[in-house]
Amino acid sequence: MPSIFTKIINREIPSYKIAEDEDFYAFLDINPNAKGHTLCIPKKEVDKIMDLDEPTYLGLMAFSRKVGKAIEAAIDCKRVAMTVIGLEVPHVHVHLIPLNEMKEATFQHKVSLAPEEFSEIAEKIKSKIE
Ligand code: 5GP
């Protein structure tokens, strides 16, 4: 069965898209640690990051860097954290989290956003993609 993220890539499930190219897709995390928390994923469905082929791994890092720079430009934060962690969804995902406090990196601290806020944040970040 396709992962929930493959369904997002295929538009079977909606998402607040940030960026997309032939091989990668970025979208806002629906249960964010902080405003602007974004996931970057390869379109190739692979469970664990260490199992990615090297070109896909390196491509994912370059794509995540581009998205991370846009987050830094769009969201008020001290820096953008990058982490690959989690046991829930068996599809590689890089978390990009705008940090002001370390608790935002813990996945215990969540923020609740209205749909309009998600849309506004997505538009802001998208406008800074180079
Ligand atoms: P993990 O595997 O990292 O533990 O969890 C997957 C991450 O994806 C979580 O941060 C969760 O909030 C996010 N997530 C799970 N399902 C969806 C979804 O349907 N849409 C979006 N945008 N994010 C999701």
Side-chain angles (χ1 to χ4, degrees):
M1 207 176 83
S3 75
I4 195 159
F5 291 167
T6 294
K7 290 182 180 173
I8 284 175
I9 292 164
N10 294 336
R11 280 35 174 202
E12 292 163 43
I13 293 177
S15 70
Y16 296 95
K17 181 175 131 177
I18 301 295
E20 179 174 20
D21 67 15
E22 204 181 317
D23 298 315
F24 305 103
Y25 189 90
F27 58 107
L28 294 181
D29 193 301
I30 208 65
N31 188 22
N33 292 15
K35 279 186 188 183
H37 183 170
T38 298
L39 302 175
C40 297
I41 59 177
K43 290 188 175 175
K44 199 180 284 181
E45 187 178 321
V46 172
D47 181 3
K48 299 185 284 182
I49 191 157
M50 300 309 167
D51 291 338
L52 286 178
D53 59 77
E54 193 167 307
T56 305
Y57 172 82
L58 295 175
L60 178 62
M61 288 302 125
F63 180 80
S64 301
R65 178 171 179 265
K66 189 170 81 167
V67 173
K69 281 175 156 305
I71 295 172
E72 243 168 24
I75 305 289
D76 183 25
C77 64
K78 290 181 179 159
R79 63 187 63 194
V80 172
M82 176 191 271
T83 180
V84 180
I85 195 165
L87 296 169
E88 206 180 290
V89 179
H91 187 144
V92 173
H93 47 288
V94 173
H95 292 266
L96 296 175
I97 306 164
L99 285 188
N100 282 299
E101 297 177 69
M102 274 307 288
K103 68 178 180 189
E104 291 156 337
T106 64
F107 294 85
Q108 307 298 322
H109 175 268
K110 295 289 177 179
V111 295
S112 171
L113 300 173
E116 314 81 67
E117 290 178 286
F118 275 111
S119 298
E120 191 186 319
I121 291 164
E123 287 311 315
K124 261 191 187 173
I125 299 172
K126 270 199 280 195
S127 74
K128 298 293 185 186
I129 297 267
E130 286 181 358

